[in-house]
């Protein structure tokens, strides 16, 4: 069955709006990142034609290929997957946001590459909120030292925190509410950081199965794949 991507986008926006109503929030505060990993460029173009501007990918090569093949300049590209130092060079010339900073060395590499082409990259520090090693992210206790390192950089902005909760089936999202709460508390604790390039406004949390709970807990970016593009075939 082929997906009706425009209809799916409308449904996801309704879900976001519903969660905002329950939380007393303005839906304008919640940005939808359409996670298009493993989906063809045509699906991205379809979503773009329906008004979607933010797209996320989780692999450096796939992100690079799609950014190069897609000539829509209004699109904002988000890297949301685990990084490797030697892959950062494939994204710096086009990517707008990198959500998955878990080590100072990634910041150092982004600074080095972005300074050569005089770009500034917006980043989020990924925190391991689930306790699962394969999900990546640094420990909450490491955040202060990562921010201290970042404040000396000139081509990197730190705009918030990102977290990936434990996978839950749809309908069980309540179980991960405490993980989102902890991320928000951590963000609030470091929010008034006295540096021009560090402003922890954003909370990137919530996916297809748990976006409502994430929004109730303060998400400003939700990263949604399957609810927009359909199931992925591995
Ligand atoms: C795949 C992915 C998503 C989207 O997950 P869905 O369940 O398809 O909504 C969000 N964030 C990251 C980091 C991902 O890898």
């Amino acid at each position: 069955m082929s997906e009706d991507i425009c209809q799916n986008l409308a449904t996801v926006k309704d879900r976001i709006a519903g969660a905002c109503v329950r939380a007393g929030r303005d839906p304008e505060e919640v940005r939808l990142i359409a996670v298009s990993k493993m989906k063809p460029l045509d699906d991205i173009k379809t979503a773009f034609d329906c008004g979607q501007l933010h797209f996320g990918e989780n692999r450096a090569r796939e992100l690079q290929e799609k950014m190069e093949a897609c000539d829509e300049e209004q699109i904002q590209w988000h890297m949301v997957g685990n990084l490797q130092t030697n892959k950062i060079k494939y994204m710096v010339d086009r990517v707008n946001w990198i959500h998955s900073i878990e080590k100072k060395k990634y910041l150092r590499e982004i600074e080095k590459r972005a300074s050569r082409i005089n770009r500034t990259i917006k980043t989020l520090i990924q925190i391991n909120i689930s306790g699962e090693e394969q999900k990546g992210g640094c420990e909450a206790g490491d955040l202060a030292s990562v921010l201290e390192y970042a404040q000396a950089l000139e081509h990197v902005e730190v705009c918030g925190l990102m977290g990936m909760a434990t996978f839950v089936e749809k309908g069980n999202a309540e179980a991960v509410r405490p993980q989102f709460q902890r991320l928000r508390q951590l963000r609030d604790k470091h929010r008034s950081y006295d540096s021009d390039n560090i402003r922890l406004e954003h909370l990137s949390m919530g996916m297809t199965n748990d976006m409502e709970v994430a929004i109730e807990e303060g998400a400003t970016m939700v990263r949604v794949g399957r609810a927009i593009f359909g199931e992925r075939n591995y």
Side-chain angles (χ1 to χ4, degrees):
M1 192 189 78
S2 81
E3 293 289 328
D4 185 341
I5 289 172
C6 283
Q7 178 56 52
N8 291 350
L9 273 169
T11 304
V12 168
K13 284 181 193 159
D14 282 347
R15 287 176 61 185
I16 292 172
C20 285
V21 167
R22 285 195 298 282
R25 298 184 60 196
D26 177 354
E28 295 288 314
E29 291 171 20
V30 182
R31 186 177 295 167
L32 173 59
I33 318 294
V35 179
S36 45
K37 62 186 184 194
M38 304 180 72
K39 297 293 179 181
L41 196 59
D42 278 349
D43 287 4
I44 294 175
K45 289 190 171 146
T46 302
F48 175 80
D49 288 340
C50 306
Q52 179 63 28
L53 295 179
H54 292 267
F55 291 88
E57 290 284 337
N58 74 333
R59 290 195 183 146
R61 280 293 194 184
E62 188 176 348
L63 172 65
Q64 180 195 25
E65 282 168 18
K66 286 173 173 169
M67 290 192 303
E68 278 175 5
C70 182
D71 46 22
E72 303 296 354
E73 284 175 17
Q74 286 163 275
I75 288 183
Q76 298 254 319
W77 293 99
H78 297 246
M79 172 61 177
V80 301
N82 291 347
L83 294 173
Q84 283 172 270
T85 310
N86 62 354
K87 302 271 172 72
I88 285 172
K89 59 176 172 287
Y90 300 129
M91 59 188 86
V92 277
D93 56 348
R94 179 65 177 87
V95 78
N96 303 97
W97 295 79
I98 300 179
H99 291 226
S100 37
I101 305 293
E102 51 171 1
K103 294 186 176 105
K104 292 174 198 168
K105 69 174 183 182
Y106 297 152
L107 290 173
R108 190 202 308 143
E109 179 70 7
I110 295 166
E111 173 69 21
K112 180 175 120 188
R113 301 272 171 188
S115 67
R116 289 179 189 167
I117 52 174
N118 205 22
R119 289 192 80 222
T120 300
I121 314 259
K122 292 177 163 47
T123 66
L124 306 175
I125 311 297
Q126 183 177 355
I127 306 294
N128 187 328
I129 57 174
S130 69
E132 294 165 43
E133 205 171 314
Q134 73 275 17
K135 290 225 161 83
C138 64
E139 298 305 315
D142 297 334
L143 178 60
S145 101
V146 174
L147 294 178
E148 197 174 296
Y149 180 80
Q151 66 177 335
L153 305 178
E154 293 176 0
H155 300 84
V156 171
E157 287 173 20
V158 182
C159 306
L161 304 181
M162 184 272 230
M164 241 180 139
T166 306
F167 179 83
V168 284
E169 298 295 340
K170 219 170 163 176
N172 276 345
E174 275 307 320
V176 294
R177 187 182 293 275
Q179 298 182 14
F180 296 139
Q181 284 171 338
R182 282 199 295 275
L183 194 67
R184 183 203 185 127
Q185 286 160 5
L186 189 65
R187 191 276 313 265
D188 291 348
K189 188 173 149 193
H190 294 272
R191 200 165 187 170
S192 54
Y193 206 88
D194 191 19
S195 175
D196 284 348
N197 69 326
I198 300 179
R199 212 162 292 118
L200 300 190
E201 273 172 53
H202 284 286
L203 280 175
S204 167
M205 58 188 196
M207 322 199 322
T208 289
N209 286 2
D210 57 17
M211 67 175 120
E212 283 93 345
V213 174
I215 290 166
E216 288 165 19
E217 296 303 331
T220 65
M221 296 187 188
V222 288
R223 309 177 309 269
V224 180
R226 290 170 299 134
I228 298 170
F229 298 109
E231 294 295 327
R232 293 174 290 269
N233 302 313
Y234 289 95

